[in-house]
Amino acid sequence: MNYAVAMVNGTAALHIGLVLSGVCSNDYVITQPLTFVATCNAISYTGASPIFVDVDKDTLSICPIKLKNWLDEFAFIDDDLVCRHKFTHRIIRALLPMHSFGHPVKLNELIEICDKWNLSH
């Protein structure tokens, strides 16, 4: 890609990233409970709601196993290949992980799960 955009801060960058990922009002975005407020603020700015999935004890970032288990229990893919919450039927649009305290997330595993569930990442 030959383009870059400068943002005033990380919250603004997260917000624009979510908008460009198609996150809309009334969507859900999966993130982790161990995070800075900017993560949830960016989700809120889009009109979406956060869903918290627990962290991995080694990375302190969202746990791929717990994410997979949560999606298996609480999500489904509808006829239009959209990921939805089983009980509310709201769209689960994206995953917003955070690298906690310099520990990188298990990105390859998370991408694989997101691809299976049609989640933006």
Side-chain angles (χ1 to χ4, degrees), residues 7-90:
M7 303 301 299
V8 69
N9 58 39
T11 306
L14 290 171
H15 175 216
I16 295 304
L18 289 169
V19 169
L20 292 173
S21 294
V23 175
C24 302
S25 183
N26 209 37
D27 286 349
Y28 286 127
V29 175
I30 299 171
T31 193
Q32 58 196 56
L34 180 60
T35 186
F36 185 69
V37 71
T39 308
C40 293
N41 282 346
I43 293 168
S44 176
Y45 295 160
T46 66
S49 300
I51 290 177
F52 297 107
V53 172
D54 206 1
V55 297
D56 177 273
K57 69 179 176 110
D58 296 323
T59 66
L60 302 177
S61 299
I62 195 162
C63 176
I65 294 167
K66 291 176 183 176
L67 175 62
K68 179 194 173 307
N69 291 343
W70 189 91
L71 288 165
D72 286 342
E73 185 173 349
F74 294 105
F76 71 98
I77 301 293
D78 70 11
D79 293 338
D80 295 321
L81 303 178
V82 174
C83 184
R84 292 191 178 268
H85 192 280
K86 281 185 181 175
F87 304 113
T88 67
H89 292 252
R90 287 171 59 183

